[in-house]
Amino acid sequence: MAVAMMAFQTACTDEESALGIDLVDTTTLYDGMMDTIYADTAWTEYEDSLLTSNYSFGIIGNYTDATFGRVSSWLYTQIALPPNTNDIAFDSSLEIDSVVLTLAKSQLFPDTSGTYNFHFEVMQLAEPLLTDTLFYAENTLPVDGNKIFFDDNVTVGELDTVISFKLDPSFYSVIRRTATAEEFIQQTKGLRVRMTTAGDEGMVSVDFSSSATNLRAYYHYTSGNDTTLGFYTFLLGAGTSHFTHFEHNYAGTLFAGHPRLPGTMRLYLEPMGGHRVRMSFDRAIREFHAAHPWAVIHHAELVMSLSPESPAMHPDQILALGKQSDGSDVYIDDLIDLYTLSGYDGTYHEDGNYYRMRVTQHLQGLMRKGEDPGMLLLLNSRRNSAQRAIMHGTLSSNCPRIIFVYTE
């Protein structure tokens, strides 16, 4: 491949100018030229609106970080009858022996191999969790202070696949009723599950879509010759309306009182309705377009290098959205095949301590317009993982850049 290097004037110090050669897709060969453009503006802003209703994964817990402050996450969920069950009617001779709430564990944070003594609290909602309502990270629902069904420590370790709570017998009356499926949801109202500060600090990701996430009532019969022992499984999480609430406290951090931070030296991606990044390559796009108005982009990659102080645990993936003429943000065209390009688009690469993302179609569109209205970067797992990232800014070494191959 014939390669001609071109350079724009920039305040960014590119200490890895040869990196682009290794990043070019080895499955494509072009007799083209390679170039690099650098983000000229960027900032970190608060993500003030994050929908959390009915996602397959969530997270519960508390965590404090010197950079990002304190964050807490709570689960709100309905209790529902099993699928295709129209109603429920408990036999008068049936006696409930115990009720166990179980959550399928996905991941521990910050020490995935550690053992935690989390203090969980399970309370009944004071009003029904509505099925036809969308809930966001900032939303909460009131709880009934007299209906505390669990308030104790639970040990959770790396090898545990589920977390189980044996609920107080006072909960039996909540589910022991005669009702249609719709009436049951309204009458039981729902639950709030959270961790309190009485136990270890940490967070646990929960798989709501797993059949192991449920509420199970164990029972036996007390009359006649029937000695049947059995259980009845109620739904919570998947199959019901549910959402997570995220609560941040930035007191004493660089984010306190600053909804938007300049991105000259550092850029911050924080999950759970925390922070996201906006940036633009507008100046570089305009200069390149003026010099090469008919350029065809064959391959382009966005490279975001992590700073030395970024946490050791890395988020799984960064997503990119482009700003539209109406001001809205939509996923860039290159992410249409996101899930067929595992290990490539927006994922972390340990060899260079960076994230790389294919942006070929997106860059071609910007070049045709001759301007860049901006890009929004988000963490893919921001609703169910506590992993965060700190990246180099526009004036630091290894700043955000797009390396691309083109012909004209």
Side-chain angles (χ1 to χ4, degrees):
M1 177 174 66
V3 177
M5 296 301 295
M6 300 180 62
F8 291 113
Q9 290 185 350
T10 175
C12 170
T13 301
D14 185 5
E15 296 180 348
E16 299 183 59
S17 57
L19 179 62
I21 297 175
D22 296 330
L23 287 183
V24 173
D25 189 345
T26 57
T27 64
T28 57
L29 296 175
Y30 305 110
D31 183 17
M33 292 173 283
M34 181 180 291
D35 204 350
T36 302
I37 58 175
Y38 304 92
D40 47 71
T41 60
W43 64 87
T44 299
E45 64 181 25
Y46 186 63
E47 186 173 12
D48 57 358
S49 181
L50 177 64
L51 182 69
T52 63
S53 290
N54 305 330
Y55 280 85
S56 297
F57 288 85
I59 188 167
I60 303 173
N62 306 291
Y63 184 68
T64 303
D65 178 273
T67 300
F68 294 96
R70 180 176 174 80
V71 61
S72 298
S73 179
W74 309 342
L75 164 65
Y76 293 87
T77 179
Q78 293 175 332
I79 309 168
L81 302 184
N84 303 317
T85 302
N86 297 322
D87 53 46
I88 187 171
F90 276 96
D91 190 290
S92 59
S93 63
L94 182 147
E95 183 173 327
I96 297 177
D97 299 310
S98 64
V99 176
V100 178
L101 186 157
T102 303
L103 302 175
K105 190 203 79 177
S106 175
Q107 184 186 69
L108 284 170
F109 182 88
D111 184 0
T112 58
S113 61
T115 298
Y116 295 83
N117 288 310
F118 292 135
H119 192 103
F120 283 92
E121 176 190 81
V122 180
M123 299 183 68
Q124 186 178 24
L125 300 182
E127 59 188 45
L129 195 165
L130 300 179
T131 301
D132 58 354
T133 301
L134 295 178
F135 293 94
Y136 292 79
E138 65 272 17
N139 293 140
T140 61
L141 292 175
V143 292
D144 186 336
N146 297 317
K147 299 293 181 64
I148 302 176
F149 302 124
F150 189 89
D151 187 13
D152 204 352
N153 283 359
V154 177
T155 301
V156 183
E158 178 185 13
L159 300 181
D160 292 314
T161 58
V162 298
I163 306 169
S164 297
F165 320 101
K166 185 176 180 180
L167 302 186
D168 188 85
S170 62
F171 182 78
Y172 300 170
S173 62
V174 174
I175 59 173
R176 188 182 178 93
R177 56 186 67 249
T178 298
T180 65
E182 294 77 12
E183 291 170 344
F184 185 83
I185 289 175
Q186 290 296 311
Q187 294 170 9
T188 56
K189 299 178 182 177
L191 299 174
R192 184 189 72 183
V193 184
R194 68 174 184 175
M195 291 184 200
T196 74
T197 57
D200 291 343
E201 186 174 78
M203 310 198 85
V204 59
S205 298
V206 178
D207 184 354
F208 296 136
S209 64
S210 170
S211 60
T213 297
N214 60 51
L215 184 76
R216 184 164 289 178
Y218 295 86
Y219 62 82
H220 72 277
Y221 286 94
T222 60
S223 63
N225 297 321
D226 193 341
T227 58
T228 301
L229 298 175
F231 60 83
Y232 192 95
T233 303
F234 299 91
L235 299 181
L236 54 82
T240 71
S241 290
H242 60 276
F243 73 97
T244 45
H245 164 70
F246 301 132
E247 192 168 288
H248 293 266
N249 183 347
Y250 294 110
T253 73
L254 73 168
F255 301 107
H258 301 286
R260 173 169 161 172
L261 289 179
T264 52
M265 298 309 296
R266 293 293 183 264
L267 294 164
Y268 302 87
L269 285 174
E270 182 191 13
M272 297 179 283
H275 287 85
R276 59 191 184 182
V277 168
R278 287 195 183 272
M279 64 183 181
S280 172
F281 294 80
D282 189 61
R283 182 181 64 196
I285 294 292
R286 290 177 184 274
E287 292 177 358
F288 186 90
H289 177 72
H292 310 277
W294 308 112
V296 175
I297 309 300
H298 296 286
H299 186 82
E301 294 187 16
L302 171 68
V303 178
M304 301 289 296
S305 296
L306 291 179
S307 68
E309 64 271 25
S310 189
M313 290 183 65
H314 308 295
D316 63 345
Q317 191 174 53
I318 294 175
L319 302 178
L321 292 78
K323 184 170 287 297
Q324 305 303 295
S325 57
D326 62 359
S328 63
D329 298 297
V330 300
Y331 290 110
I332 63 174
D333 292 336
D334 299 271
L335 293 186
I336 293 176
D337 296 325
L338 172 67
Y339 296 104
T340 65
L341 296 167
S342 177
Y344 181 80
D345 271 15
T347 55
Y348 175 72
H349 290 256
E350 185 176 3
D351 56 346
N353 196 34
Y354 57 76
Y355 285 82
R356 59 185 286 213
M357 180 185 300
R358 185 180 66 168
V359 293
T360 308
Q361 296 180 58
H362 179 66
L363 182 61
Q364 182 70 80
L366 298 181
M367 293 299 186
R368 286 173 180 164
K369 292 187 295 184
E371 63 179 2
D372 180 12
M375 178 185 291
L376 174 64
L377 299 181
L378 302 165
L379 294 177
N380 183 38
S381 57
R382 65 195 186 279
R383 295 178 178 86
N384 61 275
S385 173
Q387 296 170 3
R388 60 283 308 273
I390 306 174
M391 296 166 293
H392 285 280
T394 57
L395 298 184
S396 63
S397 62
N398 299 328
C399 61
R401 56 205 179 274
I402 295 177
I403 304 168
F404 62 100
V405 178
Y406 72 97
T407 57
E408 57 181 340

